[in-house]
Amino acid sequence: MLLAGCAQSVDPIERLGRRAAQGVRPPAPEDAYRRWGLAAPLAAPPGRPAAGPAAHTAAAPRVLDHVDTADRVVFLTYDDGAERDTEFVDMVRELRLPVSLFLTDGVVGPGYGHFAALRAVGAQIENHTFDHAALRGLPYAGQRAEICGQQDKLRARFGLRPRLLRPPYGRYDTTTLRAAADCGISALVLWRAALTGGGLAFAHGEQRLRPGDIVQMGPDGAVGAPLRDRTVRLLRRVQAEGLTVGRLEDYL
Protein backbone atom coordinates (compact mmCIF):
# COMPACT_ATOMS: atom_id res chain seq x y z
CA MET A 1 0.00 0.00 0.00
CA LEU A 2 1.29 3.48 -0.86
CA LEU A 3 2.24 5.65 2.11
CA ALA A 4 0.83 3.26 4.69
CA GLY A 5 1.52 4.49 8.19
CA CYS A 6 2.74 7.98 7.18
CA ALA A 7 2.89 10.32 10.14
CA GLN A 8 1.10 13.65 9.87
CA SER A 9 3.41 16.53 8.99
CA VAL A 10 4.37 18.99 11.71
CA ASP A 11 5.95 21.50 9.33
CA PRO A 12 4.97 24.97 10.68
CA ILE A 13 4.02 26.27 7.22
CA GLU A 14 1.65 23.35 6.85
CA ARG A 15 0.00 24.34 10.12
CA LEU A 16 -0.91 27.54 8.29
CA GLY A 17 -2.88 25.39 5.88
CA ARG A 18 -4.88 23.97 8.77
CA ARG A 19 -5.51 27.51 10.02
CA ALA A 20 -7.01 28.33 6.63
CA ALA A 21 -9.45 25.45 7.05
CA GLN A 22 -10.58 27.17 10.26
CA GLY A 23 -11.33 30.40 8.41
CA VAL A 24 -8.19 32.34 9.38
CA ARG A 25 -7.43 34.64 6.44
CA PRO A 26 -5.68 38.01 6.31
CA PRO A 27 -7.53 41.09 5.05
CA ALA A 28 -7.21 42.07 1.38
CA PRO A 29 -5.92 45.55 0.44
CA GLU A 30 -8.70 47.59 -1.18
CA ASP A 31 -6.53 48.59 -4.15
CA ALA A 32 -4.94 45.17 -4.72
CA TYR A 33 -6.49 44.89 -8.17
CA ARG A 34 -4.30 47.76 -9.41
CA ARG A 35 -1.14 46.04 -8.22
CA TRP A 36 -2.07 42.97 -10.22
CA GLY A 37 -2.89 44.82 -13.42
CA LEU A 38 -6.70 44.70 -13.33
CA ALA A 39 -8.77 47.70 -14.38
CA ALA A 40 -11.35 47.12 -11.64
CA PRO A 41 -11.80 44.93 -8.58
CA LEU A 42 -13.19 41.46 -9.10
CA ALA A 43 -16.90 41.39 -8.36
CA ALA A 44 -17.66 39.60 -5.12
CA PRO A 45 -19.10 36.13 -5.73
CA PRO A 46 -22.16 34.96 -3.79
CA GLY A 47 -21.24 33.89 -0.27
CA ARG A 48 -22.77 30.54 -1.11
CA PRO A 49 -24.39 29.36 -4.36
CA ALA A 50 -28.05 30.24 -4.78
CA ALA A 51 -29.14 26.62 -4.31
CA GLY A 52 -26.21 25.43 -2.18
CA PRO A 53 -23.97 22.47 -3.07
CA ALA A 54 -25.96 19.77 -4.82
CA ALA A 55 -26.57 16.62 -2.79
CA HIS A 56 -24.92 13.54 -4.27
CA THR A 57 -26.13 10.13 -3.23
CA ALA A 58 -25.16 7.96 -6.23
CA ALA A 59 -22.62 5.20 -5.73
CA ALA A 60 -20.38 6.52 -8.52
CA PRO A 61 -18.85 10.02 -8.53
CA ARG A 62 -20.26 12.62 -10.88
CA VAL A 63 -18.17 13.67 -13.88
CA LEU A 64 -18.45 17.33 -14.89
CA ASP A 65 -16.70 20.14 -16.72
CA HIS A 66 -19.36 22.75 -15.97
CA VAL A 67 -21.58 23.54 -12.99
CA ASP A 68 -25.27 24.18 -13.56
CA THR A 69 -25.75 27.57 -11.88
CA ALA A 70 -27.31 30.93 -12.60
CA ASP A 71 -24.59 32.65 -10.56
CA ARG A 72 -22.27 34.61 -12.85
CA VAL A 73 -19.16 32.77 -11.74
CA VAL A 74 -16.48 30.61 -13.28
CA PHE A 75 -14.06 28.37 -11.42
CA LEU A 76 -10.25 28.51 -11.66
CA THR A 77 -8.39 25.21 -11.33
CA TYR A 78 -4.64 24.55 -11.40
CA ASP A 79 -3.00 21.21 -12.11
CA ASP A 80 0.04 19.20 -11.04
CA GLY A 81 1.97 21.51 -8.67
CA ALA A 82 5.10 22.02 -10.75
CA GLU A 83 5.01 25.83 -10.54
CA ARG A 84 5.95 27.50 -7.26
CA ASP A 85 5.41 31.19 -8.04
CA THR A 86 5.69 32.92 -4.66
CA GLU A 87 4.02 36.05 -6.02
CA PHE A 88 1.02 33.92 -6.94
CA VAL A 89 0.55 33.34 -3.19
CA ASP A 90 0.42 37.12 -2.72
CA MET A 91 -2.07 37.43 -5.57
CA VAL A 92 -4.42 34.82 -4.11
CA ARG A 93 -4.24 36.53 -0.72
CA GLU A 94 -4.64 40.11 -1.89
CA LEU A 95 -7.39 39.45 -4.44
CA ARG A 96 -9.06 36.92 -2.11
CA LEU A 97 -9.07 34.70 -5.18
CA PRO A 98 -10.82 31.33 -4.77
CA VAL A 99 -8.75 28.70 -6.59
CA SER A 100 -8.64 24.91 -6.56
CA LEU A 101 -5.26 23.18 -6.75
CA PHE A 102 -5.20 19.60 -8.06
CA LEU A 103 -1.88 18.21 -6.83
CA THR A 104 0.21 15.21 -7.90
CA ASP A 105 2.76 13.94 -5.39
CA GLY A 106 5.20 12.87 -8.12
CA VAL A 107 5.24 16.46 -9.40
CA VAL A 108 5.07 18.39 -6.12
CA GLY A 109 7.93 16.37 -4.62
CA PRO A 110 9.35 18.27 -1.63
CA GLY A 111 7.34 21.42 -2.43
CA TYR A 112 4.26 20.87 -0.26
CA GLY A 113 5.18 23.85 1.94
CA HIS A 114 4.43 26.20 -0.97
CA PHE A 115 0.95 24.76 -1.30
CA ALA A 116 0.42 24.95 2.44
CA ALA A 117 1.09 28.68 2.11
CA LEU A 118 -1.53 28.86 -0.65
CA ARG A 119 -3.99 26.92 1.47
CA ALA A 120 -3.35 29.35 4.31
CA VAL A 121 -4.63 32.20 2.14
CA GLY A 122 -7.74 30.33 0.98
CA ALA A 123 -6.78 27.98 -1.85
CA GLN A 124 -8.42 24.55 -1.87
CA ILE A 125 -6.33 21.38 -2.20
CA GLU A 126 -7.66 18.53 -4.36
CA ASN A 127 -6.45 15.20 -5.82
CA HIS A 128 -4.66 14.79 -9.17
CA THR A 129 -3.35 11.25 -8.42
CA PHE A 130 -0.13 10.10 -6.80
CA ASP A 131 2.12 9.83 -9.85
CA HIS A 132 0.13 11.39 -12.74
CA ALA A 133 -0.52 8.06 -14.43
CA ALA A 134 -3.11 7.94 -17.23
CA LEU A 135 -5.87 6.06 -15.40
CA ARG A 136 -8.01 4.86 -18.28
CA GLY A 137 -7.25 1.22 -19.00
CA LEU A 138 -5.35 0.54 -15.78
CA PRO A 139 -6.62 -2.32 -13.61
CA TYR A 140 -8.63 -1.48 -10.52
CA ALA A 141 -5.69 -2.03 -8.14
CA GLY A 142 -3.49 0.39 -10.07
CA GLN A 143 -6.16 3.08 -10.24
CA ARG A 144 -7.00 2.72 -6.57
CA ALA A 145 -3.30 3.02 -5.66
CA GLU A 146 -3.01 6.24 -7.69
CA ILE A 147 -6.13 7.83 -6.22
CA CYS A 148 -6.05 6.55 -2.64
CA GLY A 149 -2.28 6.97 -2.50
CA GLN A 150 -2.65 10.71 -3.09
CA GLN A 151 -5.57 10.86 -0.64
CA ASP A 152 -3.24 9.39 1.97
CA LYS A 153 -0.43 11.79 1.09
CA LEU A 154 -2.69 14.84 1.35
CA ARG A 155 -4.09 13.62 4.64
CA ALA A 156 -0.57 13.17 5.99
CA ARG A 157 0.47 16.64 4.82
CA PHE A 158 -2.65 18.68 5.49
CA GLY A 159 -5.04 16.57 7.55
CA LEU A 160 -7.62 16.44 4.75
CA ARG A 161 -9.03 13.94 2.29
CA PRO A 162 -10.27 15.72 -0.85
CA ARG A 163 -13.68 15.05 -2.36
CA LEU A 164 -12.64 16.07 -5.88
CA LEU A 165 -10.36 14.30 -8.36
CA ARG A 166 -8.99 15.48 -11.69
CA PRO A 167 -7.85 12.44 -13.67
CA PRO A 168 -4.59 13.17 -15.52
CA TYR A 169 -5.16 14.24 -19.13
CA GLY A 170 -8.91 14.16 -18.40
CA ARG A 171 -8.95 10.42 -19.14
CA TYR A 172 -10.99 7.96 -17.09
CA ASP A 173 -13.18 4.87 -17.42
CA THR A 174 -15.76 3.02 -15.36
CA THR A 175 -12.97 1.48 -13.28
CA THR A 176 -11.82 5.01 -12.41
CA LEU A 177 -15.28 5.81 -11.09
CA ARG A 178 -15.33 2.68 -8.93
CA ALA A 179 -11.83 3.26 -7.55
CA ALA A 180 -12.52 6.95 -6.94
CA ALA A 181 -15.70 6.16 -5.02
CA ASP A 182 -13.81 3.66 -2.87
CA CYS A 183 -11.25 6.39 -2.09
CA GLY A 184 -13.90 8.87 -0.93
CA ILE A 185 -14.13 10.96 -4.12
CA SER A 186 -17.55 12.45 -4.96
CA ALA A 187 -16.76 14.14 -8.30
CA LEU A 188 -14.33 13.89 -11.22
CA VAL A 189 -13.61 17.45 -12.30
CA LEU A 190 -12.74 18.03 -15.95
CA TRP A 191 -12.80 21.43 -17.69
CA ARG A 192 -14.77 23.16 -20.44
CA ALA A 193 -12.12 25.84 -21.02
CA ALA A 194 -8.33 25.81 -20.74
CA LEU A 195 -5.90 28.71 -20.93
CA THR A 196 -3.23 27.96 -23.53
CA GLY A 197 -0.53 29.99 -25.20
CA GLY A 198 -3.06 30.98 -27.85
CA GLY A 199 -5.76 32.02 -25.40
CA LEU A 200 -8.78 30.19 -24.07
CA ALA A 201 -9.54 26.89 -25.78
CA PHE A 202 -13.01 25.41 -25.32
CA ALA A 203 -13.69 21.68 -25.26
CA HIS A 204 -17.19 22.04 -26.68
CA GLY A 205 -20.12 24.43 -26.99
CA GLU A 206 -19.95 28.21 -27.23
CA GLN A 207 -16.51 29.69 -27.68
CA ARG A 208 -16.90 32.04 -24.74
CA LEU A 209 -17.04 31.74 -20.99
CA ARG A 210 -20.43 30.92 -19.51
CA PRO A 211 -21.64 30.96 -15.89
CA GLY A 212 -20.54 27.74 -14.22
CA ASP A 213 -17.59 26.99 -16.50
CA ILE A 214 -14.64 25.14 -15.00
CA VAL A 215 -11.39 26.60 -16.35
CA GLN A 216 -8.08 24.73 -16.32
CA MET A 217 -4.76 26.49 -15.90
CA GLY A 218 -2.20 23.81 -16.64
CA PRO A 219 1.60 24.19 -16.78
CA ASP A 220 2.62 26.38 -19.72
CA GLY A 221 6.35 26.03 -20.16
CA ALA A 222 6.12 26.83 -23.86
CA VAL A 223 4.91 30.36 -23.12
CA GLY A 224 7.21 30.91 -20.17
CA ALA A 225 4.97 33.50 -18.50
CA PRO A 226 4.81 33.29 -14.69
CA LEU A 227 1.68 31.78 -13.22
CA ARG A 228 0.58 35.13 -11.80
CA ASP A 229 0.77 36.78 -15.24
CA ARG A 230 -1.24 34.02 -16.90
CA THR A 231 -3.82 34.28 -14.15
CA VAL A 232 -4.14 38.05 -14.66
CA ARG A 233 -4.64 37.41 -18.36
CA LEU A 234 -7.47 35.03 -17.54
CA LEU A 235 -9.03 37.34 -14.96
CA ARG A 236 -9.19 40.15 -17.51
CA ARG A 237 -11.12 37.84 -19.84
CA VAL A 238 -13.44 36.81 -17.00
CA GLN A 239 -14.20 40.45 -16.18
CA ALA A 240 -14.65 41.39 -19.84
CA GLU A 241 -17.41 38.78 -20.09
CA GLY A 242 -19.21 40.13 -17.02
CA LEU A 243 -18.26 37.24 -14.75
CA THR A 244 -16.30 36.73 -11.57
CA VAL A 245 -14.59 33.81 -9.82
CA GLY A 246 -16.42 31.47 -7.45
CA ARG A 247 -15.20 28.71 -5.15
CA LEU A 248 -15.77 25.39 -6.89
CA GLU A 249 -16.08 23.47 -3.63
CA ASP A 250 -19.10 25.60 -2.63
CA TYR A 251 -21.00 24.24 -5.63
CA LEU A 252 -20.09 20.53 -5.49
Side-chain angles (χ1 to χ4, degrees):
M1 291 293 291
L2 288 170
L3 301 173
C6 282
Q8 185 165 323
S9 170
V10 294
D11 186 333
I13 192 66
E14 293 179 10
R15 291 197 190 99
L16 292 176
R18 289 190 280 277
R19 289 178 61 210
Q22 299 166 0
V24 179
R25 294 181 64 188
E30 292 182 2
D31 62 349
Y33 70 94
R34 293 192 181 95
R35 175 185 174 189
W36 298 108
L38 299 178
L42 283 169
R48 287 284 177 179
H56 179 66
T57 57
R62 292 172 288 169
V63 181
L64 69 162
D65 62 11
H66 177 92
V67 173
D68 185 13
T69 179
D71 294 341
R72 294 195 61 78
V73 296
V74 295
F75 308 103
L76 303 192
T77 65
Y78 296 76
D79 286 0
D80 302 342
E83 295 178 83
R84 319 255 169 85
D85 183 347
T86 56
E87 290 193 35
F88 182 67
V89 181
D90 296 335
M91 170 185 282
V92 170
R93 181 185 68 249
E94 294 182 12
L95 295 180
R96 302 185 74 82
L97 189 63
V99 297
S100 300
L101 312 175
F102 289 83
L103 300 184
T104 294
D105 184 74
V107 177
V108 175
Y112 277 100
H114 173 78
F115 297 99
L118 276 164
R119 186 170 180 242
V121 297
Q124 302 293 305
I125 304 294
E126 303 295 352
N127 189 328
H128 195 38
T129 72
F130 189 78
D131 203 31
H132 210 270
L135 297 176
R136 187 170 65 196
L138 288 179
Y140 172 81
Q143 296 206 36
R144 181 183 170 94
E146 282 287 335
I147 300 167
C148 286
Q150 185 64 349
Q151 293 287 81
D152 292 344
K153 172 64 81 169
L154 294 174
R155 182 177 183 181
R157 288 287 182 173
F158 301 118
L160 61 86
R161 290 184 71 84
R163 296 182 297 108
L164 308 182
L165 168 72
R166 172 161 287 162
Y169 318 106
R171 298 172 185 167
Y172 67 95
D173 56 20
T174 56
T175 302
T176 310
L177 300 179
R178 183 162 64 98
D182 290 347
C183 295
I185 296 295
S186 63
L188 269 63
V189 177
L190 307 181
W191 58 92
R192 196 183 83 85
L195 187 67
T196 69
L200 275 176
F202 295 88
H204 58 82
E206 297 178 77
Q207 299 299 292
R208 64 179 181 86
L209 289 171
R210 303 179 305 183
D213 276 347
I214 298 170
V215 184
Q216 182 209 43
M217 179 83 73
D220 200 351
V223 174
L227 189 61
R228 61 188 180 276
D229 291 347
R230 303 199 323 268
T231 299
V232 168
R233 178 183 172 195
L234 178 56
L235 292 176
R236 288 172 179 161
R237 175 73 177 268
V238 168
Q239 289 182 310
E241 299 198 18
L243 301 164
T244 191
V245 182
R247 189 178 306 282
L248 179 61
E249 288 76 4
D250 288 345
Y251 289 75
L252 298 181

